[in-house]
Amino acid sequence: AKAAEKFTAGSQAFRKEKLDEAISYWSDSVALMPEQAEYVEALHRVRQLKERLNLLREQKDSDPVPEEE
């Protein structure tokens, strides 16, 4: 039941776009029940999403800002 509670809390955090919080909860779920495919997949997906967002942020930060005339 503990793993399911953590998974639910992670899902709520994810819906609020709190990715680090979701990763934390879902990591706990996977640690408690590594055989639960749903938990493993959700954790994998959120980590990929976070990686993509970080890459987009880096690209945005490195793009030259057009100078105003």
Side-chain angles (χ1 to χ4, degrees), residues 10 19 23 27 35-37 39 44 50 54-55 58-59 69:
L19 300 186
I23 287 171
S27 293
E35 71 283 358
Q36 186 73 32
Y39 299 173
H44 181 67
K50 186 174 158 68
N54 286 342
L55 285 173
E58 285 170 20
Q59 284 175 348
E69 294 186 19

Side-chain angles (χ1 to χ4, degrees), residues 4-18:
E5 288 168 22
K6 296 261 186 194
F7 187 77
T8 300
S11 298
Q12 290 167 347
F14 183 78
R15 281 195 290 279
K16 294 176 188 162
E17 297 180 12
K18 296 180 177 178

